Amino acid sequence: MQVQWYPGHMTKAKRMMQEQIKLIDLILELVDARIPLSSRNPDIDELGRQKARVILLNKADLADDRQNEAWEAYFRDQGFFTVKINARSGAGMKAIQGVIQEACKEKLERDRRRGILNRPVRAMVAGIPNVGKSTFINSFAGRACTKTGNKPGVTKGAQWIRLNKQVELLDTPGILWPKFEDAQVGLRLAMIGSIREEILNSQELAWELLGFLQKQVPGVLEERYGISEDGESYALLEDIARRRGCLQKGSALDTEKAAGILLEEFRSGKLGKITLEFPPVKG
């Protein structure tokens, strides 16, 4: 199953980020903890080469706890500061302020030596669509935030949010990249819901997810749906349709409806804490 999608407005969003990057000190990059590499836009590495970097493993509550720890260690080895969070519930959010100060420690020291005191760290919030960026900003900023408007040199429409005396956030549109070199990246993004449903075949996507669950999370399908996990993915989807009463006129199985149920229950965590990709093995 090939997944490719790059709406034209994302090209504009990337240009906007290129114009704004010189104004910021730090990039706060949200990734989905279930697919930390696949939900990273490689363009952001290029844009932020000279900037302090923090990776926020969002939706960590939906991912396997052991894999969360492994991904934290992986990103630390790559030179990133890392925090596990759940932007919706607020879990892990209190740690971010201190991590920002630590990540920008050298910059703050340089400012002090130059006599620049009390300038807030300017942080760009970046991430692909549906990774929870807006939820994060609302949770992190809270009711105390004030919009500071467009700064000189910032493309019209960019939103600066003053959190406190120490940090200002710059919100940016979610952007994907033009082509997924690895077909699995597109699949994983589709599984977590970061690509519009209209361009996807939900049954094919469900088959791919079922194959992964059979191999990597044995027992979860039997526990959730009361079905045997033996057999091909299309047969498993039919079994789920039977169990959930997904029927069309004439009592034919509605596997498309069953696929929607499976995908929704995976995305919402009803199947348990599941990580779809694992850190690269050192070697």
Side-chain angles (χ1 to χ4, degrees):
M1 181 179 180
Q2 289 286 331
V3 179
Q4 289 294 337
W5 176 52
Y6 194 73
H9 74 273
M10 291 193 181
T11 302
K12 181 179 178 182
K14 182 181 175 182
R15 281 200 303 270
M16 184 186 295
M17 290 180 71
Q18 288 171 329
E19 293 169 8
Q20 295 159 350
I21 199 76
K22 61 183 178 292
L23 300 172
I24 64 104
D25 308 306
L26 169 80
I27 296 177
L28 291 171
E29 183 183 357
L30 270 80
V31 302
D32 191 300
R34 294 167 294 180
I35 56 167
L37 278 189
S38 292
S39 60
R40 291 196 68 218
N41 184 337
D43 288 343
I44 294 174
D45 278 341
E46 180 65 23
L47 288 168
R49 276 180 300 175
Q50 306 301 319
K51 306 296 179 179
R53 303 289 299 280
V54 176
I55 299 284
L56 301 175
L57 289 163
N58 194 26
K59 305 183 184 179
D61 57 306
L62 298 176
D64 181 271
D65 292 328
R66 289 171 300 176
Q67 294 303 325
N68 285 340
E69 298 295 330
W71 277 111
E72 273 197 305
Y74 170 80
F75 284 123
R76 279 197 300 268
D77 287 346
Q78 304 298 309
F80 296 102
F81 290 84
T82 313
V83 186
K84 297 191 302 285
I85 66 168
N86 176 356
R88 193 169 295 280
S89 71
M93 300 291 288
K94 290 181 180 178
I96 296 173
Q97 184 81 38
V99 172
I100 288 174
Q101 298 300 310
E102 181 65 24
C104 293
K105 191 174 182 179
E106 291 183 13
K107 175 230 170 272
L108 294 171
E109 288 293 335
R110 284 198 307 271
D111 282 355
R112 273 194 280 273
R113 287 196 297 270
R114 295 171 182 167
I116 302 171
L117 302 176
N118 302 322
R119 182 174 82 72
V121 170
R122 292 172 181 161
M124 174 184 283
V125 182
I128 66 169
N130 204 40
V131 79
K133 205 154 53 67
S134 296
T135 303
F136 163 73
I137 289 172
N138 291 336
S139 177
F140 193 36
R143 294 182 181 178
C145 73
T146 57
K147 297 176 185 178
T148 57
N150 295 335
K151 293 183 177 294
V154 180
T155 303
K156 186 176 181 181
Q159 182 181 351
W160 284 90
I161 302 167
R162 183 73 175 263
L163 294 186
N164 48 47
K165 292 181 180 179
Q166 295 178 306
V167 180
E168 288 181 345
L169 291 183
L170 175 62
D171 188 13
T172 61
I175 57 172
L176 288 168
W177 52 106
K179 184 179 180 182
F180 307 134
E181 300 296 338
D182 182 349
Q184 288 298 311
V185 170
L187 272 177
R188 293 179 191 125
L189 287 167
M191 286 178 186
I192 68 166
S194 280
I195 294 175
R196 278 196 329 227
E197 298 271 344
E198 304 93 270
I199 69 160
L200 300 171
N201 182 314
S202 60
Q203 292 183 77
E204 288 186 27
L205 192 57
W207 293 337
E208 295 282 354
L209 178 57
L210 286 166
F212 175 87
L213 295 173
Q214 276 180 298
K215 183 177 180 180
Q216 299 293 346
V217 199
V220 69
L221 296 172
E222 183 176 355
E223 181 179 346
R224 182 68 185 173
Y225 302 109
I227 63 173
S228 169
E229 297 190 357
D230 296 328
E232 299 295 329
S233 293
Y234 72 86
L236 296 182
L237 190 59
E238 289 179 343
D239 289 342
I240 292 172
R242 285 190 196 91
R243 286 288 186 174
R244 289 299 177 91
C246 301
L247 301 175
Q248 298 173 329
K249 288 183 180 179
S251 298
L253 293 174
D254 189 343
T255 51
E256 187 170 340
K257 184 176 180 180
I261 289 172
L262 174 70
L263 292 167
E264 187 279 326
E265 294 195 344
F266 162 69
R267 291 167 183 167
S268 63
K270 291 174 184 173
L271 299 185
K273 296 184 174 187
I274 298 171
T275 299
L276 292 178
E277 68 177 348
F278 313 112
V281 177
K282 293 179 182 178

